């Protein structure tokens, strides 16, 4: 699967020599890499605006950040900084800068994620190429680009796109560090992980065991120095992750409520709802059973916590196409390099990417808190690198029958599992049969081909690789060709999602839809359905917050439609803000003009029960202020004490 030189230990188990660098590769490598990145850009950018504002929750925060630097820094969902999103703001910083430079639009919102995807593909290609050669690098890059979860998330405005880029950057820096025991490269890996924390908190740390293990095992220096370098990298992680947490903690003036927390602090968010609560489960995070609804496997939530979760219908569709091949390549590749020296770079590669895959995969499989299938995009770089790199290790040892059979199994597994996944889509059964039969035939042909017939073996293996990628590629292209909106996007062609819902199920305009279901042009559902009368009313409000509404998702939809600040009472998931007393003070001070009825929590940690602050506020307003009907929706004018209801 590669054309590396014998200096890299092509056929034996001896140590792979240090990388030769880009200048020693044939010219076709550079052009092939450019073609790979260009094709990835086309896949991720074509018709990108069809999804409109995609996830309106994050889109509203980007809109706010494009107008207010304070909102940009905190990740506030409104320009007046009432409450933040329930994640750190790093991904919003990138899109917010793009919106400031080019103006806020669907393109300025989504293009940064597409470019982050191209960057991740380049980094995986570069990392795998250094230790496994250019062909393996190109295959790894293509495998990542054509992962359905990647084609979904790199065309969407969730934080996971930047998260994957930063984790992949950390892996590339670790590759460079391990080659020559470079503490500088290792420190840069720590910085990348620190910013991954500022993107999606503790999920960014899931790759740390694999990165630390490979350096501790394979770096060409003494144990004491390896440990010292790792401690330095840990310090870099703390600094890169902690500066924003510290800045928010000691902020001298008024600051927004930290969404997702129980007390308005970042540390509560880290250790609770958006941190340990995701993994260990809690009443505030969907607890027992993987997902807020305790959904079945294949639903838009996580389903039952078990290893089978990664292969269930929706998670399987998103990430598992090459997962069996990657696991086989990991195990067989480690066996093939079993007698190599400690510093062997190819074994080091398997250790690093394998540690990434095993730790993150088991976490997603068994976590008891809220888990959505698209989280698994974080596995895509490791799956791609292992399938390509492990396959190259087996190719290099092809003179041994066990390695030859092992590589054939890796190839065949991709086709067989594509057959299983495509059988779940009734209209694609024929494609599953074709992929399985062709890959098995090519793998068998490779096994029986004499070792001396190297060119024929290359043709069979590369053909098997291309066909094995066919299932993943078909679903990735179908995903990219389908517009996605809402909070929980899903992969595949329109109508293929299991349990994605139609949006608005929690009373909010944004809902949880995976794709537009209302015949709209792909704009965020709330922005597309908010009436023009209500938009005009909010734009003429003339107060700090034009209106207040229950839940961040509903507030986001109103903000995107009217370009005004809307107070998201209860935040994304029943955050305890504002209290009734606080809201009464806002009204007394003339800071809020309207309360828009309906709405709902984005996540619903506690569901906004009878005793919730939001319910108390709504009851107090209904009992004391004039109700209007605007565009079919109940709106309370908080400047007019209750007298008589009118209709406009």
């Amino acid at each position: 699967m590669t054309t590396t030189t014998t200096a890299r230990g092509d056929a034996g188990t001896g140590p792979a020599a240090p990388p030769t660098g880009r200048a020693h590769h044939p010219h076709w490598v550079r052009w092939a890499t450019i073609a790979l990145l260009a094709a990835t850009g086309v896949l991720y950018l074509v018709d990108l605006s069809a999804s409109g504002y995609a996830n309106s929750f994050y889109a509203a925060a980007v809109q706010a950040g494009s107008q207010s630097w304070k909102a940009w820094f905190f990740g506030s969902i409104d320009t007046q900084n009432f409450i933040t999103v329930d994640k750190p703001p790093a991904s919003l910083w990138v899109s917010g800068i793009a919106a400031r430079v080019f103006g806020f639009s669907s393109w300025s919102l989504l293009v940064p994620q597409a470019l982050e995807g191209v960057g991740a593909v380049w980094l995986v290609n570069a990392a795998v190429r250094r230790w496994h050669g250019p062909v393996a690098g190109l295959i790894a890059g293509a495998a990542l680009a054509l992962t359905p979860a990647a084609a979904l998330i790199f065309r969407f405005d969730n934080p996971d796109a930047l998260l994957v880029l930063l984790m992949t950057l950390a892996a590339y820096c670790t590759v460079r560090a391990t080659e020559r025991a470079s503490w500088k490269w290792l420190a840069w890996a720590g910085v990348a992980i620190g910013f991954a924390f500022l993107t999606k908190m503790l999920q960014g740390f899931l790759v740390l065991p694999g990165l630390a293990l490979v350096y501790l095992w394979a770096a060409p220096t003494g144990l004491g120095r390896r440990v010292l370098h790792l401690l330095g990298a840990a310090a870099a992680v703390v600094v890169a992750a902690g500066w924003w947490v510290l800045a928010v903690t000691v902020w001298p003036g008024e600051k927004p409520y930290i969404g997702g927390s129980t007390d308005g602090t970042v540390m509560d968010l880290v250790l609770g709802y958006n941190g340990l609560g995701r993994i260990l489960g809690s009443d505030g995070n969907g607890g027992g059973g993987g997902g807020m609804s305790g959904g079945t496997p294949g639903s838009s939530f996580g389903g039952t916590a078990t290893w089978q979760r990664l292969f269930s219908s929706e998670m399987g569709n998103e990430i598992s196409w090459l997962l069996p091949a990657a696991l086989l390549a990991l195990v067989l590749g480690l066996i093939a390099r079993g007698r190599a020296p400690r510093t062997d770079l190819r074994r080091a590669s398997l250790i690093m990417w394998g540690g990434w895959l095993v730790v993150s995969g088991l976490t997603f499989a068994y976590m008891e808190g809220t888990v959505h299938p698209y989280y698994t995009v974080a596995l895509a770089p490791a799956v791609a690198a292992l399938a390509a790199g492990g396959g190259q290790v087996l190719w290099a040892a092809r003179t041994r029958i066990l390695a030859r059979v092992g590589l054939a199994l890796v190839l065949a597994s991709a086709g067989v599992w594509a057959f299983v996944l495509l059988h779940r889509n009734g209209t694609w059964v024929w494609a599953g049969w074709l992929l399985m039969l062709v890959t098995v035939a090519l793998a068998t042909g490779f096994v029986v081909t004499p070792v001396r017939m190297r060119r024929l073996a290359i043709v069979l293996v590369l053909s098997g690789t291309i066909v094995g990628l066919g299932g993943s590629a078909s679903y990735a292209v179908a995903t990219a060709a389908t517009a996605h909106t809402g909070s929980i996007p899903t992969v595949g062609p329109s109508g293929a999602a299991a349990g994605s819902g139609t949006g608005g199920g929690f009373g909010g305009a944004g809902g949880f839809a995976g794709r537009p279901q209302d015949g709209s042009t792909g704009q965020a559902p709330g922005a597309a359905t908010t009436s023009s009368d209500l938009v005009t009313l909010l734009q003429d409000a003339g107060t700090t917050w034009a209106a207040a509404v229950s839940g961040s998702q509903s507030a986001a939809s109103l903000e995107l439609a009217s370009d005004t600040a809307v107070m998201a009472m209860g935040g994304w998931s029943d955050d305890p803000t504002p209290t009734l007393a606080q809201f009464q003070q806002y009204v007394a001070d003339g800071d809020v003009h309207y309360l828009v009825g309906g709405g709902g929590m984005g996540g619903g940690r506690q569901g906004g029960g009878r005793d919730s602050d939001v319910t108390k506020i709504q009851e107090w307003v209904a009992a004391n202020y004039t109700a209007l009907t605007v565009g079919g929706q109940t709106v309370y004018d908080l400047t007019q004490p209750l007298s008589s209801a009118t209709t406009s």
Side-chain angles (χ1 to χ4, degrees):
M1 295 179 65
T2 183
T3 58
T4 51
T5 65
T6 55
R8 291 176 179 265
D10 184 64
T13 58
T20 56
R22 185 177 62 181
H24 291 77
H25 291 309
H27 289 299
W28 68 264
V29 174
R30 178 178 299 180
W31 290 109
T33 302
I34 292 173
L36 169 65
L37 299 181
T40 302
V42 169
L43 178 64
Y44 293 167
L45 287 167
V46 167
D47 201 25
L48 187 60
S49 62
S51 294
Y53 294 138
N55 189 335
S56 59
F57 177 59
Y58 295 115
V62 172
Q63 182 189 51
S66 70
Q67 301 174 28
S68 164
W69 282 114
K70 184 176 180 180
W72 176 84
F73 178 77
F74 281 99
S76 300
I77 198 173
D78 63 286
T79 56
Q80 299 303 314
N81 293 285
F82 175 72
I83 194 169
T84 72
V85 299
D86 61 344
K87 303 286 189 302
S91 66
L92 303 175
W93 293 341
V94 179
S95 295
I97 291 295
R100 280 185 174 269
V101 173
F102 299 105
F104 177 72
S105 67
S106 175
W107 278 99
S108 64
L109 174 70
L110 299 178
V111 166
Q113 281 68 236
L115 297 181
E116 287 160 6
V118 175
V121 168
W122 177 76
L123 287 168
V124 166
N125 164 65
V128 173
R129 182 179 64 197
R130 292 190 71 85
W131 289 356
H132 295 283
V135 174
L138 290 168
I139 292 172
L144 172 57
L146 295 173
T147 300
L152 174 69
I153 291 302
F154 291 131
R155 293 174 58 91
F156 207 69
D157 58 334
N158 277 17
D160 302 75
L162 180 61
L163 175 72
V164 171
L165 174 64
L166 289 169
M167 292 192 301
T168 308
L169 175 60
Y172 176 78
C173 291
T174 303
V175 165
R176 300 296 299 268
T178 304
E179 289 170 0
R180 304 188 186 281
S182 170
W183 67 268
K184 293 181 180 179
W185 276 107
L186 197 64
W188 281 116
V191 171
I193 291 298
F195 276 89
F197 175 88
L198 294 183
T199 303
K200 212 173 178 188
M201 289 197 166
L202 294 185
Q203 187 177 339
F205 287 174
L206 292 180
V207 300
L208 277 176
L211 304 188
L213 178 60
V214 70
Y215 192 84
L216 184 63
W217 176 268
T221 189
L223 178 60
R225 184 166 294 182
R226 279 176 270 156
V227 172
L228 185 62
H229 291 177
L230 285 170
L231 291 175
V237 172
V238 172
V239 172
W243 71 269
W244 181 81
V245 175
L246 179 62
V248 173
T249 302
V250 302
W251 190 267
E254 292 185 6
K255 55 187 177 184
Y257 188 92
I258 302 301
S261 69
T262 61
D263 59 5
T265 67
V266 176
M267 289 309 300
D268 181 80
L269 187 64
V270 174
L271 299 175
Y273 160 75
N274 205 42
L276 296 177
R278 293 273 179 178
I279 299 173
L280 303 178
S282 65
D283 291 338
N285 209 342
M292 291 177 288
S293 65
T296 58
S299 70
S300 56
F301 296 102
T304 305
T306 169
W307 66 268
Q308 294 174 314
R309 176 189 275 174
L310 294 177
F311 299 91
S312 63
S313 58
E314 180 54 30
M315 277 198 177
N317 288 343
E318 297 206 6
I319 195 61
S320 76
W321 297 86
L322 297 179
L323 186 54
L327 292 173
L328 277 172
L330 170 61
V331 174
L332 297 174
L334 287 174
I335 293 173
R337 304 301 295 180
R339 296 182 180 180
R342 174 182 65 81
T343 56
D344 178 66
L345 294 180
R346 289 176 181 166
R347 183 173 58 198
S349 175
L350 298 176
I351 291 173
M352 183 183 73
W353 298 110
W356 176 332
L357 177 60
V358 171
V359 173
S360 297
L362 289 177
T363 299
F364 293 146
Y366 288 99
M367 64 192 295
E368 294 285 351
T370 302
V371 53
H372 301 310
Y374 66 80
Y375 292 178
T376 57
V377 69
L379 302 177
V383 170
L386 284 172
Q392 184 276 330
V393 168
L394 296 173
W395 165 262
R398 64 191 178 279
T399 56
R400 290 179 284 167
I401 185 61
L402 291 180
R404 199 155 64 250
V405 171
L407 180 55
L409 289 175
V410 171
L411 294 172
S413 67
V416 171
W417 188 244
F419 167 81
V420 174
L421 293 176
L422 291 174
H423 252 60
R424 297 172 181 172
N425 185 325
T427 60
W428 288 21
V429 173
W430 64 270
W433 278 105
L434 178 64
L435 292 174
M436 180 179 67
L437 293 175
V438 174
T439 53
V440 170
L442 291 169
T444 303
F446 168 68
V447 172
V448 301
T449 297
V451 175
R452 66 179 181 275
M453 301 179 67
R454 187 174 186 273
R455 292 185 178 179
L456 177 58
I458 290 175
V459 170
L460 292 171
V461 169
L462 289 181
S463 299
T465 300
I466 293 170
V467 176
L469 283 171
S472 179
S474 62
Y475 242 67
V477 172
T479 299
T482 304
H484 297 85
T485 61
S487 304
I488 310 175
T490 51
V491 301
S494 181
S500 62
T502 58
F506 284 72
F512 290 130
R515 304 175 178 86
Q517 303 288 333
D518 56 2
S520 70
T521 60
Q523 190 176 0
T529 59
T530 301
S531 71
S532 59
D533 289 338
L534 181 55
V535 168
T536 300
L537 191 74
L538 297 181
Q539 290 174 338
D540 294 339
T543 50
T544 302
W545 288 278
V549 68
S550 174
S552 291
Q553 197 81 340
S554 296
S557 298
L558 294 174
E559 288 177 339
L560 291 170
S562 65
D563 196 20
T564 62
V566 176
M567 180 181 290
M569 301 186 301
W572 173 260
S573 41
D574 203 15
D575 298 331
T577 186
T579 64
L580 175 58
Q582 289 171 332
F583 188 80
Q584 289 172 332
Q585 189 62 52
Y586 285 129
V587 174
D589 294 341
D591 290 333
V592 187
H593 199 139
Y594 301 102
L595 185 143
V596 180
M601 308 303 170
R605 282 190 295 166
Q606 300 173 16
R610 182 68 184 173
D611 296 328
S612 73
D613 292 316
V614 173
T615 300
K616 293 176 182 178
I617 290 170
Q618 291 172 327
E619 292 175 346
W620 174 74
V621 169
N624 291 279
Y625 290 92
T626 300
L628 312 170
T629 301
V630 182
Q633 196 161 359
T634 301
V635 179
Y636 295 92
D637 188 340
L638 302 180
T639 67
Q640 298 294 323
L642 185 61
S643 56
S644 60
T646 60
T647 301
S648 63

